[in-house]
Amino acid sequence: MTTTHPSGRTAIVTGGAGGIGRGIVRRLAADGFTVVLADLDETAVHEAAAEIGGRVEPHLLDVTDPASRRSVVARADALGGADLLVNCAGVLRDARVRRLEPALFRRLTEINLIGPLALARLVGPGMGARGGGAIVNLASRAWLGTFGSTAYSTAKGGLVGATRSLALELGPRGITVNAVAPGFVDTPMTDGLPPEVRRRTLDAIPVGRAGRPEDVADAVAFLADAGYVTGQVLVACGGRSIGDPYLARAS
Amino acid sequence: MSAPTVEAVVRGHGAATRLVTDALAVARPTSPSAVVVPAVPDLRPLDELTDERLATDVGDTLDAVLADVRAVLDGAVHRLVFVLPAAPLMATAGGAAASAVTGGVLSMARTLAIELAREQVAVNVVAVDPRATTVAALAGQLGVLLGEGGEAITGQEIYLTAGTDLGRIRP
Ligand SMILES: NC(=O)c1ccc[n+]([C@@H]2O[C@H](COP(=O)([O-])OP(=O)(O)OC[C@H]3O[C@@H](n4cnc5c(N)ncnc54)[C@H](O)[C@@H]3O)[C@@H](O)[C@H]2O)c1
């Protein structure tokens, strides 16, 4: 369902050129937001903005670079200031703990955890001054723990922890802070999975299918406007986190 | 006849390190064990979380936790416990960086519990609160987790907070 809002509200979506990010940008644009589609992939940024059309502003962003973070917030300021920040940029590369390279661990912390926190700090004051806003962080059901995923799950768990404390801190300024924790979603991030792993993962999803970017966009769009919901993790995983996520491995 | 006591390794420089060493003197672990006590950053308003602070308070702290974990796993432990401060773990205003670290370690512990189960390593988190957690309370809990039968408890979070966290949603 798509609703049109009266406002000329502005959203920043990091990772906006990725699989889930595109779905979120498309949905927010349809909901009446002007969207700054920010991503590291220069070609994809322009291609995605052109594909979606409407009031979508392509912007090159590296969430690990402080100057680049300031520039995306300045771009939103020029459009009236960010009313919504969706921290969706993320990277999934990992290894079992004994083989995990410390440099990879740090890289995932910087992209998946520190980048989102730094952006929250940059948009917070403006949102507060304008009477409020919303921050939605893309966590992952890996926050509940996932085999072979020390770096990714640590970063996503950190993001959930920060989401909760930020909700307490920013609530008095009218800013809600929530997380969406997707399960398995068909995107370039999950394209590379071996067919066997993919099959076993699908077997463990009660609704019987992989998630789609629109499924995650629905959750983000809800939280963008849910002024009385804050500090929560909305798990969009087709029920996998309620059943046994390792069901298939055991059988 | 009960199993002989073995010495547990303590890593990390968190505020609860002294509490942990005092508790271990009483707890009498019977399995090769390690307790990691991450140095969780102080509370600080979001506005003061500069890029440099995020790099040190969150990035360097989590790096240190990973290094501690790798070091203790090299030593063939069977029980690994992370001791974390309950306040940022549950959430607290001004605790964005501290909660990023505690939330990160909580999820790391869950992942390690899943991953290391096949090696018979049990991994848990114990949350402590300086106002509520006595040496006896922590010693009792560590005695269970690091003692006989402790292998049945893994991937859990145990709050030694005398109920101060009740009525709240856990992370
Ligand atoms: N696909 C899934 O199954 C799944 C599940 C749970 C959570 N997630 C999370 O959802 C988010 C989106 O994932 P996706 O599946 O769309 O992945 P994706 O790989 O399709 O998209 C991620 C996007 O982030 C961008 N990016 C990477 N590093 C960046 C940086 N330093 N600065 C700016 N942008 C950067 C990439 O260019 C890419 O466009 C991620 O945070 C991911 O962790 C995905």
Side-chain angles (χ1 to χ4, degrees):
Chain A
M1 195 186 73
T2 307
T3 43
T4 307
H5 294 279
S7 65
R9 292 186 300 170
T10 300
I12 298 172
V13 180
T14 74
I20 291 174
R22 272 181 212 227
I24 293 170
V25 172
R26 189 173 285 113
R27 171 61 187 266
L28 294 176
D31 282 1
F33 280 90
T34 298
V35 185
V36 179
L37 186 164
D39 202 288
L40 184 64
D41 183 333
E42 186 164 14
T43 316
V45 162
H46 293 284
E47 183 254 305
E51 178 198 304
I52 296 165
R55 292 200 303 265
V56 175
E57 307 265 333
H59 192 92
L60 198 61
L61 165 73
D62 179 352
V63 292
T64 67
D65 174 8
S68 182
R69 293 191 293 245
R70 285 193 293 277
S71 122
V72 76
V73 175
R75 178 77 176 261
D77 284 344
L79 296 164
D83 303 290
L84 170 65
L85 166 67
V86 183
N87 276 312
C88 181
V91 167
L92 171 61
R93 268 183 51 215
D94 225 320
R96 286 202 227 159
V97 67
R98 291 185 192 280
R99 290 197 224 127
L100 177 61
E101 286 293 330
L104 177 63
F105 180 83
R106 179 65 179 234
R107 182 92 187 119
L108 263 77
T109 303
E110 284 176 0
I111 298 171
N112 294 351
L113 176 55
I114 292 178
L117 269 174
L119 281 167
R121 177 175 71 86
L122 291 176
V123 300
M127 277 184 186
R130 287 187 299 281
I135 298 173
V136 180
N137 294 320
L138 267 289
S140 163
R141 57 148 273 114
W143 135 77
L144 298 168
T146 297
F147 189 90
S149 179
T150 299
Y152 187 73
S153 68
T154 299
K156 295 298 188 180
L159 194 53
V160 168
T163 295
R164 293 164 55 99
S165 282
L166 285 175
L168 296 180
E169 181 168 353
L170 299 179
R173 296 194 224 167
I175 302 168
T176 61
V177 189
N178 291 286
V180 174
F184 179 82
V185 184
D186 259 331
T187 71
M189 184 177 271
T190 48
D191 269 356
L193 282 183
E196 176 56 18
V197 175
R198 187 188 164 81
R199 191 191 59 74
R200 281 190 280 137
T201 304
L202 289 175
D203 281 352
I205 301 174
V207 303
R209 64 168 176 86
R212 304 177 187 118
E214 307 88 271
D215 296 321
V216 182
D218 284 344
V220 171
F222 167 72
L223 292 172
D225 269 315
Y228 206 56
V229 177
T230 195
Q232 305 301 312
V233 184
L234 184 45
V235 186
C237 67
R240 186 173 165 215
S241 307
I242 299 299
D244 179 354
Y246 298 100
L247 187 70
R249 193 175 60 164
S251 62
Chain B
M1 204 182 75
S2 59
T5 306
V6 294
E7 192 145 343
V9 176
V10 180
R11 307 273 308 199
H13 300 100
T17 308
R18 177 70 195 273
L19 179 69
V20 168
T21 46
D22 288 352
L24 282 171
V26 186
R28 312 179 76 78
T30 57
S31 276
S33 305
V35 182
V36 174
V37 194
V40 174
D42 293 337
L43 299 192
R44 194 173 293 281
L46 179 63
D47 300 340
E48 293 174 21
L49 281 185
T50 58
D51 297 319
E52 295 74 21
R53 278 226 164 265
L54 286 170
T56 53
D57 287 9
V58 178
D60 295 353
T61 305
L62 288 173
D63 283 352
V65 175
L66 179 68
D68 284 337
V69 167
R70 297 274 291 247
V72 299
L73 290 180
D74 285 346
V77 295
H78 289 175
R79 309 284 163 78
L80 171 57
V81 173
F82 294 94
V83 173
L84 295 175
L89 184 62
M90 284 300 291
T92 183
S99 299
V101 168
T102 50
V105 173
L106 175 64
S107 290
M108 181 192 282
R110 290 168 173 164
T111 283
L112 294 178
I114 292 166
E115 193 170 307
L116 299 174
R118 55 174 67 175
E119 299 176 34
Q120 279 81 47
V121 182
V123 186
N124 291 287
V125 168
V126 172
V128 296
D129 175 349
R131 294 161 307 171
T133 315
T134 59
V135 170
L138 184 58
Q141 195 58 53
L142 291 177
V144 171
L145 294 175
L146 312 182
E148 277 179 273
E151 67 276 2
I153 309 164
T154 191
Q156 304 302 308
E157 307 108 50
I158 299 147
Y159 290 77
L160 304 185
T161 46
T164 51
D165 57 328
L166 292 176
R168 301 177 69 187
I169 299 173
R170 293 187 180 143

Short mmCIF file of all heavy atoms in Angstrom, two decimals, chain A residues 1-7 9 27-33 55 225:
data_model
loop_
_atom_site.label_atom_id
_atom_site.label_comp_id
_atom_site.label_asym_id
_atom_site.label_seq_id
_atom_site.Cartn_x
_atom_site.Cartn_y
_atom_site.Cartn_z
N MET A 1 0.84 -1.19 0.00
CA MET A 1 0.00 0.00 0.00
C MET A 1 0.87 1.24 0.00
O MET A 1 1.85 1.33 0.72
CB MET A 1 -0.87 -0.01 1.26
CG MET A 1 -2.02 0.97 1.17
SD MET A 1 -2.91 1.04 2.75
CE MET A 1 -1.78 1.93 3.79
N THR A 2 0.52 2.20 -0.80
CA THR A 2 1.30 3.43 -0.88
C THR A 2 0.41 4.60 -0.47
O THR A 2 -0.70 4.73 -0.93
CB THR A 2 1.80 3.64 -2.32
OG1 THR A 2 2.47 2.46 -2.72
CG2 THR A 2 2.76 4.80 -2.41
N THR A 3 0.94 5.42 0.41
CA THR A 3 0.17 6.60 0.82
C THR A 3 0.93 7.85 0.41
O THR A 3 2.15 7.84 0.36
CB THR A 3 0.00 6.62 2.35
OG1 THR A 3 1.24 6.28 2.94
CG2 THR A 3 -1.07 5.65 2.80
N THR A 4 0.22 8.90 0.10
CA THR A 4 0.89 10.14 -0.28
C THR A 4 0.82 11.10 0.90
O THR A 4 -0.23 11.29 1.48
CB THR A 4 0.20 10.75 -1.50
OG1 THR A 4 0.15 9.75 -2.50
CG2 THR A 4 1.00 11.93 -2.03
N HIS A 5 1.96 11.63 1.25
CA HIS A 5 2.01 12.57 2.37
C HIS A 5 1.98 13.99 1.85
O HIS A 5 2.47 14.27 0.76
CB HIS A 5 3.27 12.31 3.19
CG HIS A 5 3.22 10.97 3.84
ND1 HIS A 5 2.54 10.75 5.00
CD2 HIS A 5 3.72 9.79 3.45
CE1 HIS A 5 2.64 9.46 5.31
NE2 HIS A 5 3.35 8.86 4.38
N PRO A 6 1.42 14.88 2.62
CA PRO A 6 1.27 16.25 2.15
C PRO A 6 2.62 16.97 2.02
O PRO A 6 2.78 17.87 1.21
CB PRO A 6 0.44 16.89 3.26
CG PRO A 6 0.62 16.03 4.48
CD PRO A 6 0.89 14.66 3.97
N SER A 7 3.58 16.48 2.76
CA SER A 7 4.80 17.25 2.95
C SER A 7 5.73 17.21 1.77
O SER A 7 5.64 16.38 0.90
CB SER A 7 5.54 16.61 4.08
OG SER A 7 5.91 15.33 3.65
N ARG A 9 8.80 16.17 2.35
CA ARG A 9 9.82 15.66 3.27
C ARG A 9 11.01 15.07 2.51
O ARG A 9 10.87 14.61 1.38
CB ARG A 9 9.22 14.59 4.19
CG ARG A 9 8.22 15.19 5.16
CD ARG A 9 7.74 14.18 6.16
NE ARG A 9 7.09 13.05 5.52
CZ ARG A 9 6.76 11.94 6.18
NH1 ARG A 9 7.04 11.81 7.46
NH2 ARG A 9 6.16 10.96 5.55
N ARG A 27 9.95 3.03 -2.71
CA ARG A 27 8.78 3.16 -1.84
C ARG A 27 8.67 4.56 -1.23
O ARG A 27 7.59 5.17 -1.21
CB ARG A 27 8.87 2.10 -0.73
CG ARG A 27 7.85 2.24 0.38
CD ARG A 27 6.42 2.12 -0.17
NE ARG A 27 5.47 2.44 0.89
CZ ARG A 27 4.92 1.51 1.67
NH1 ARG A 27 5.17 0.24 1.48
NH2 ARG A 27 4.09 1.87 2.63
N LEU A 28 9.79 5.09 -0.76
CA LEU A 28 9.74 6.41 -0.13
C LEU A 28 9.40 7.49 -1.15
O LEU A 28 8.67 8.44 -0.86
CB LEU A 28 11.08 6.73 0.57
CG LEU A 28 11.42 5.84 1.77
CD1 LEU A 28 12.81 6.19 2.31
CD2 LEU A 28 10.38 5.98 2.88
N ALA A 29 9.93 7.34 -2.36
CA ALA A 29 9.62 8.32 -3.42
C ALA A 29 8.13 8.27 -3.72
O ALA A 29 7.47 9.30 -3.86
CB ALA A 29 10.44 8.03 -4.67
N ALA A 30 7.57 7.05 -3.77
CA ALA A 30 6.13 6.91 -4.01
C ALA A 30 5.33 7.49 -2.85
O ALA A 30 4.21 7.98 -3.04
CB ALA A 30 5.78 5.44 -4.21
N ASP A 31 5.90 7.46 -1.65
CA ASP A 31 5.21 8.00 -0.48
C ASP A 31 5.36 9.52 -0.38
O ASP A 31 4.92 10.12 0.60
CB ASP A 31 5.77 7.35 0.81
CG ASP A 31 5.22 5.94 1.03
OD1 ASP A 31 4.42 5.47 0.19
OD2 ASP A 31 5.59 5.33 2.05
N GLY A 32 6.04 10.14 -1.32
CA GLY A 32 6.11 11.60 -1.36
C GLY A 32 7.40 12.22 -0.86
O GLY A 32 7.53 13.43 -0.78
N PHE A 33 8.35 11.38 -0.50
CA PHE A 33 9.64 11.92 -0.04
C PHE A 33 10.49 12.36 -1.24
O PHE A 33 10.44 11.72 -2.30
CB PHE A 33 10.45 10.85 0.69
CG PHE A 33 10.05 10.62 2.12
CD1 PHE A 33 9.07 9.69 2.45
CD2 PHE A 33 10.67 11.32 3.14
CE1 PHE A 33 8.72 9.45 3.76
CE2 PHE A 33 10.32 11.10 4.47
CZ PHE A 33 9.34 10.16 4.78
N ARG A 55 11.37 12.36 -7.54
CA ARG A 55 12.29 13.26 -6.83
C ARG A 55 13.37 12.45 -6.12
O ARG A 55 13.38 12.32 -4.90
CB ARG A 55 11.49 14.11 -5.85
CG ARG A 55 10.57 15.12 -6.57
CD ARG A 55 10.17 16.24 -5.65
NE ARG A 55 9.50 15.75 -4.46
CZ ARG A 55 8.18 15.66 -4.32
NH1 ARG A 55 7.39 16.03 -5.31
NH2 ARG A 55 7.64 15.22 -3.22
N ASP A 225 7.11 6.61 9.76
CA ASP A 225 5.97 7.41 10.20
C ASP A 225 5.37 6.95 11.52
O ASP A 225 4.33 7.46 11.91
CB ASP A 225 4.87 7.36 9.12
CG ASP A 225 5.04 8.50 8.15
OD1 ASP A 225 5.27 9.62 8.62
OD2 ASP A 225 4.96 8.26 6.94
#
